[in-house]
Amino acid sequence: MIRLKVSQRVLLLLLATSLVPLAAVGLTWFRLSESSLKDSAASEQTILTSNAASSVNQFVADKINLLIIHSQTVSIRGYQANLANASADIQSLIKQDADIKNVALADQDGMERLSISQNGASATLANVSQSNAFRVATFLAGKEYISPVSYDNSHQPYITIAVPLVTYDSSQTSSNLSTDESGVIRSAGAIKGVLITQISLASLWRSVLSEHLGANGYAYVVDGQGNLIAYPDMAFLLAHRSLSTVPAVAAFIADPGAGAHPVATTSEKGVAVLSSYQQVPATGWGVVAEEPTGTIYASANRIANIGFILFGAMAAVVVAASYSFSRRFTRPLEQLAAGARLISGGQLDAHIDVQQHSEIGTLADTFNAMTANISSLIRRSQADSSKLNVILNNVGEGVVATDKTGTIVVANVAAAVLVGNLPKSIIGKPLTAHFGWTKGGQPFEPTLTKTSLYHNVTLISPNQRAHFLDVLVNHIENDPMGISTIFTMIDKTNERELESMKTDFVSMAAHELRTPMTTIRGYLDLILQDKDADLTNETKDHLLRIQANSRQLVGLINNLLSVSRIERGELTLHLDKVGWAQTVRQVVNDQLFMAKAKSVTLSYSGPVEPLYILADEIAITEVINNLVTNAINYTDGGGRVTVTVRDTPDGILTFVQDNGMGISTNDQAHLFTKFYRANGGLASGKPGTGLGLYISQAIARLHGGSISVASEEHKGSTFTISLPHIDLDHYNQIRRTAAPGILKGKHGWVTKNISR
Amino acid sequence: MAGLQKIFLVEDNAQILEIYTSTLNKFGYQLMTATTVDDALAKVAAFQPDIIFLDIMLPGGRSGLDALKILRTDPAYGCTTKKIVLLTNLGLNDKLQKAWDEYADGYVVKAEIVPHELIDIIRSFETN
């Protein structure tokens, strides 16, 4: 299937509609003119053959008449008496007619008495009694004789005409003289002799053969047997004597009288011709005319050729006009197409300039309006996009987005800087090729299917600098832009360095505080343990007070360190199976002494089962200890503190209930905040740092539980610790992965008894 | 394991050293002390203690943690399987946690205990 352009189709259509009628008219005209040319050639031929036949006939008749007239002259009839007179008469006859080549006068026995040629010379006399001329002329009553055509040595045609010398009985008109009179019987003696003439046909043939038909038509003459007797080309005549097989000649032989209407046939030379013939009555010859049909139609063909040239010229004009028209018609379309190509190639400022007030012009205007709209939309979108880019590249957090395959599709400057690169250099690359995050020494493998925040992710940049990051991993479902995951990296390196300095400071501060406390407590212990020391009871009591206060001071330092670790997320638990009910009972027992000193009734109630939980025993003991201590501290003498452990389907609940001063609603809201102290804080005169509940809540939460409070001022408070049941799967997992050995933990020290 | 008798105490604070020495002597333990890492490494192979109490903050450039690693990894000192208990007043940090997880058998916050608790600590290795 050939695909034509619109302009080519229009061109073809215009050519078809204009040239087809033109060609049809031309052909019809050509056919009509051919037919008329044929008619005209035929009528010309008929005239020619008729004229030629009649002129040949007239020629022969005239010669016979001339001879008959001369045969009747006194001098010729009296040749026997006076031959000289006869000779003179004959010579005048020769002079009178240029066609007469020779005249001979034979006597009744066939002996020539006179023979005079055209040039006046006398020829040799001969006995012609046996010649056709003499015998026909003297046969019966005598009759004029016409010989077939002969040719002399110089190829000049001639015929012999003989007329008998007879005496006419009745007068004849000179217009139609003949010796052959019907009804006249002559005796043999009535014929005195014969006048034999040789008549040149050269002039006759010249006139007959010089007749032309059209450009190449000609005439020739045949005798009754079809032998060629006159032909324009002598050489042809000499080579071809009989033409009886030529169709026109054969037709003449078959029917000499017919032939006036020219028919299409083949000539003696095998050429297609229009041919006709006409009989010469006097001699029985036929004049044949032939005109090559090619010649007849030559004029038509010539005109046809001119017609073709005109047709071609017109076609050229039509083509040119059609082309111009189709160009004019399709040019705007092509401009539109070119414009559309430019636009599809991204050149949105392309303007299609069609100078036409047609539908195409309107279409072009619509097109231009459309591209203007598109480019304005794109400009707006680009402006929006560059705004977003400016924002994206100026936020401090590194942002990287990947598709489903983990290929980076978006990266901002901050993200690229982290890996010592440019955003464009890492976009299109696999995330893992640039971001070799680690967490806890292991490759960082965040869950990509949900949104999570990961702390303490390490990324080593190409210059070997370690970056400590918080990585927020956002998963996006079915994003049309193909974004699957967004990683937002918050560089915490500086904070971490600060934190590290702070930790070091806190650690050093703790060290500096603890060391003197160690020696204070150490020497106190040495004194108190010395059985040989002679101490008064009072002194001993004072020393015990110093010991209790120093113990409290150590607890305070401990709490400060715990807060520091909670804040860094470094408070780690050494989880093991802990019998919670036993632990709580033990704490209550340990606090009975202090409660009694304050005249507070402390009691415990709980199940006999151990109620196992998975916990860091030291840490969780600290929690219940803290709550019980607080309850005693905030309850006046005579009050009650009740500790209850209860197993529920949702977990283990521990209530520490007092009927002390209670906590205001406002204070309850801030109770678990760091350094917050209820009831006026220091002004209340109650001991505490404002860290106990904060630390306890943090520890409870690390265990998957929580602490809540319900309180009413002047009525009392109830603190509730909620802890989950032991997760045996988790416990078994810990047992499998934990280092073998037994941990023996006490407050202040821990050992593991394992074989190394 | 009963009867851990030979105690090697590495502590730079003279007062603490005095208090602990006094306490341990009172309970009849055989004792050797050192105040720096170099000092400790020089004495430990000959003494062959059952338990080493090793302070972390020590003068002389190398800390107790350095000494811990050397004692655990270098058989020349004969302490790769001995009980080593870290003594410190520092807050727990990553390095300390790592040392505890990998090499130490005990961890003691000096300010938190009274001296005669050292005996409890020693005995915690004697019973299961």
Side-chain angles (χ1 to χ4, degrees):
Chain A
M1 186 74 186
I2 302 166
R3 289 192 50 168
L4 291 175
K5 297 207 293 187
V6 174
S7 60
Q8 289 167 330
R9 289 178 195 212
V10 171
L11 186 61
L12 279 179
L13 183 69
L14 288 172
L15 284 178
T17 52
S18 59
L19 288 183
V20 167
L22 192 65
V25 168
L27 277 175
T28 311
W29 173 85
F30 181 66
R31 288 279 165 227
L32 283 173
S33 85
E34 242 187 7
S35 160
S36 109
L37 278 171
K38 187 182 169 188
D39 288 352
S40 127
S43 78
E44 195 188 341
Q45 223 174 68
T46 308
I47 291 164
L48 181 133
T49 51
S50 300
N51 285 348
S54 92
S55 71
V56 171
N57 202 54
Q58 194 61 49
F59 179 87
V60 174
D62 284 353
K63 299 306 177 201
I64 290 170
N65 272 352
L66 186 66
L67 288 177
I68 290 172
I69 287 162
H70 277 276
S71 72
Q72 296 300 310
T73 59
V74 175
S75 50
I76 288 180
R77 281 210 294 188
Y79 75 89
Q80 282 166 329
N82 188 344
L83 196 59
N85 280 350
S87 174
D89 200 321
I90 286 167
Q91 281 182 24
S92 82
L93 172 64
I94 290 170
K95 280 187 181 129
Q96 200 180 336
D97 193 329
D99 296 325
I100 299 171
K101 288 163 59 98
N102 184 275
V103 179
L105 177 63
D107 62 15
Q108 62 267 31
D109 299 319
M111 279 303 291
E112 285 184 339
R113 300 296 295 271
L114 283 168
S115 179
I116 298 165
S117 294
Q118 205 165 21
N119 53 9
S122 292
T124 311
L125 299 176
N127 182 353
V128 297
S129 60
Q130 294 307 308
S131 71
N132 284 338
F134 182 82
R135 285 165 65 174
V136 169
T138 56
F139 184 66
L140 292 177
K143 185 185 188 306
E144 57 268 25
Y145 162 79
I146 302 166
S147 75
V149 178
S150 299
Y151 288 85
D152 63 17
N153 292 335
S154 56
H155 302 307
Q156 291 300 312
Y158 65 92
I159 52 171
T160 301
I161 297 177
V163 294
L165 297 179
V166 294
T167 304
Y168 289 99
D169 294 327
S170 53
S171 61
Q172 288 185 317
T173 61
S174 59
S175 63
N176 190 24
L177 284 174
S178 174
T179 53
D180 186 15
E181 286 178 276
S182 55
V184 175
I185 311 289
R186 291 187 183 91
S187 63
I191 297 170
K192 300 284 192 230
V194 177
L195 203 57
I196 302 167
T197 59
Q198 287 185 354
I199 308 293
S200 170
L201 295 176
S203 68
L204 174 64
W205 280 177
R206 249 195 313 281
S207 76
V208 169
L209 298 176
S210 70
E211 290 289 340
H212 283 289
L213 283 166
N216 290 323
Y218 54 90
Y220 60 89
V221 186
V222 292
D223 63 16
Q225 285 74 49
N227 294 316
L228 190 57
I229 54 177
Y231 196 81
D233 178 4
M234 184 54 68
F236 183 87
L237 183 139
L238 294 173
H240 305 83
R241 293 309 304 265
S242 174
L243 291 184
S244 59
T245 55
V246 172
V249 177
F252 163 68
I253 294 166
D255 187 2
H261 292 294
V263 290
T265 178
T266 308
S267 78
E268 71 285 359
K269 288 180 173 170
V271 176
V273 290
L274 191 66
S275 178
S276 62
Y277 59 86
Q278 190 77 39
Q279 194 186 29
V280 180
T283 58
W285 301 339
V287 176
V288 180
E290 284 176 349
E291 187 176 8
T293 43
T295 316
I296 295 169
Y297 302 137
S299 61
N301 285 339
R302 217 162 32 245
I303 290 167
N305 282 342
I306 292 168
F308 282 131
I309 290 166
L310 278 174
F311 180 80
M314 278 192 75
V317 169
V318 168
V319 166
S322 303
Y323 180 72
S324 156
F325 180 74
S326 71
R327 285 289 299 155
R328 193 174 150 66
F329 178 69
T330 60
R331 200 176 139 74
L333 286 175
E334 282 168 9
Q335 285 173 329
L336 268 179
R341 269 197 298 278
L342 283 179
I343 289 156
S344 74
Q347 202 175 317
L348 282 166
D349 53 351
H351 181 82
I352 300 169
D353 194 13
V354 176
Q355 301 288 342
Q356 250 189 20
H357 299 292
S358 62
E359 295 91 326
I360 294 171
T362 311
L363 181 56
D365 290 344
T366 312
F367 212 94
N368 286 331
M370 185 184 79
T371 55
N373 274 338
I374 292 172
S375 29
S376 130
L377 276 173
I378 286 177
R379 267 196 303 279
R380 252 189 355 242
S381 147
Q382 280 170 344
D384 287 350
S385 162
S386 57
K387 271 186 222 162
L388 285 176
N389 263 330
V390 167
I391 293 167
L392 188 64
N393 285 324
N394 284 286
V395 294
E397 286 75 23
V399 178
V400 173
T402 61
D403 62 13
K404 278 200 180 70
T405 65
T407 303
I408 298 172
V409 290
V410 174
N412 71 350
V413 171
V417 164
L418 278 175
V419 292
N421 234 315
L422 290 171
K424 64 179 180 186
S425 308
I426 61 174
I427 289 169
K429 305 280 172 54
L431 181 75
T432 50
H434 287 286
F435 290 89
W437 291 306
T438 57
K439 180 167 167 62
Q442 301 296 313
F444 173 52
E445 282 167 358
T447 307
L448 295 179
T449 50
K450 65 172 198 217
T451 296
S452 311
L453 177 64
Y454 299 86
H455 296 288
N456 299 319
V457 177
T458 310
L459 178 66
I460 309 292
S461 65
N463 61 11
Q464 297 305 314
R465 181 162 185 247
H467 292 275
F468 298 96
L469 309 172
D470 283 358
V471 181
L472 181 65
V473 182
N474 286 86
H475 178 67
I476 299 174
E477 285 281 357
N478 305 321
D479 175 57
M481 312 301 288
I483 290 174
S484 174
T485 314
I486 299 173
F487 300 86
T488 307
M489 291 166 277
I490 304 145
D491 196 342
K492 293 285 191 182
T493 311
N494 291 338
E495 286 88 332
R496 201 177 152 104
E497 280 168 0
L498 273 174
E499 193 61 45
S500 171
M501 286 166 69
K502 190 170 134 192
T503 308
D504 288 349
F505 171 78
V506 171
S507 188
M508 286 308 298
H511 184 261
E512 295 308 309
L513 288 170
R514 276 169 162 178
T515 301
M517 288 312 299
T518 306
T519 52
I520 291 168
R521 298 185 72 211
Y523 285 122
L524 268 177
D525 189 56
L526 284 182
I527 296 165
L528 290 169
Q529 295 293 323
D530 188 357
K531 296 181 183 72
D532 302 332
D534 189 14
L535 300 176
T536 63
N537 281 343
E538 191 180 12
T539 307
K540 196 172 181 180
D541 189 47
H542 289 166
L543 290 174
L544 283 172
R545 285 177 194 275
I546 294 171
Q547 191 180 42
N549 281 295
S550 69
R551 178 73 191 82
Q552 207 173 334
L553 203 50
V554 169
L556 175 64
I557 296 166
N558 236 12
N559 280 351
L560 284 169
L561 284 169
S562 292
V563 169
S564 167
R565 291 178 68 198
I566 289 165
E567 285 178 346
R568 293 201 306 275
E570 285 179 4
L571 193 63
T572 48
L573 302 178
H574 298 280
L575 294 176
D576 205 343
K577 194 159 84 170
V578 174
W580 179 242
Q582 294 167 291
T583 303
V584 175
R585 190 189 295 120
Q586 185 61 49
V587 167
V588 170
N589 284 338
D590 289 349
Q591 294 281 359
L592 281 174
F593 174 77
M594 200 174 120
K596 196 174 178 184
K598 272 206 77 179
S599 304
V600 170
T601 310
L602 177 61
S603 63
Y604 167 81
S605 78
V608 289
E609 296 85 21
L611 293 184
Y612 288 115
I613 59 168
L614 196 58
D616 183 317
E617 188 170 6
I618 297 170
I620 203 71
T621 305
E622 187 77 35
V623 172
I624 181 65
N625 195 47
N626 187 29
L627 289 182
V628 174
T629 306
N630 278 348
I632 295 168
N633 281 340
Y634 288 94
T635 303
D636 295 333
R640 290 189 66 86
V641 173
T642 312
V643 180
T644 314
V645 173
R646 191 187 301 157
D647 193 13
T648 77
D650 294 331
I652 299 164
L653 298 179
T654 308
F655 306 96
V656 180
Q657 189 178 11
D658 67 61
N659 58 354
M661 61 181 70
I663 306 159
S664 71
T665 315
N666 185 41
D667 284 340
Q668 286 177 36
H670 304 97
L671 208 52
F672 298 98
T673 309
K674 186 167 57 174
F675 297 119
Y676 188 84
R677 295 202 58 208
N679 303 317
L682 287 173
S684 70
K686 300 290 178 193
T689 56
L691 292 173
L693 286 176
Y694 169 77
I695 293 167
S696 295
Q697 182 69 290
I699 291 170
R701 287 195 173 145
L702 279 171
H703 283 85
S706 66
I707 302 170
S708 59
V709 64
S711 180
E712 200 176 332
E713 274 189 285
H714 312 301
K715 293 269 177 76
S717 307
T718 302
F719 283 83
T720 308
I721 311 169
S722 165
L723 291 169
H725 290 117
I726 188 164
D727 180 345
L728 286 171
D729 288 343
H730 190 185
Y731 173 59
N732 288 330
Q733 189 189 335
I734 287 167
R735 276 166 60 102
R736 273 197 302 278
T737 56
I742 298 154
L743 282 169
K744 290 180 184 294
K746 283 279 170 95
H747 197 87
W749 61 269
V750 61
T751 59
K752 49 186 172 185
N753 190 4
I754 59 169
S755 299
R756 290 195 181 267
Chain B
M1 189 191 284
L4 298 179
Q5 288 302 309
K6 297 171 81 174
I7 312 295
F8 191 53
L9 180 61
V10 186
E11 170 61 62
D12 65 312
N13 186 298
Q15 295 181 352
I16 295 174
L17 194 60
E18 187 195 352
I19 294 163
Y20 286 180
T21 303
S22 170
T23 304
L24 291 170
N25 279 337
K26 205 180 330 178
F27 282 87
Y29 288 99
Q30 191 182 340
L31 193 65
M32 173 72 79
T33 62
T35 55
T36 65
V37 173
D38 291 343
D39 189 19
L41 294 179
K43 294 172 177 171
V44 72
F47 183 61
Q48 283 298 304
D50 296 320
I51 297 181
I52 301 167
F53 285 98
L54 183 59
D55 187 24
I56 292 173
M57 288 275 282
L58 291 169
R62 286 196 284 184
S63 75
L65 298 181
D66 298 324
L68 175 67
K69 190 169 181 182
I70 292 165
L71 293 173
R72 279 289 185 237
T73 55
D74 190 345
Y77 298 99
C79 296
T80 54
T81 61
K82 300 292 196 263
K83 301 298 176 190
I84 302 179
V85 177
L86 293 172
L87 292 177
T88 183
N89 266 332
L90 290 168
L92 190 63
N93 60 32
D94 290 346
K95 274 198 281 187
L96 218 51
Q97 182 73 47
K98 191 170 180 309
W100 158 246
D101 288 340
E102 286 184 27
Y103 297 127
D105 297 298
Y107 173 85
V108 174
V109 180
K110 292 179 281 186
E112 297 252 15
I113 62 165
V114 288
H116 71 266
E117 279 184 87
L118 287 175
I119 313 307
D120 297 338
I121 292 164
I122 293 165
R123 286 178 181 158
S124 78
F125 294 116
E126 293 174 351
T127 56
N128 281 329

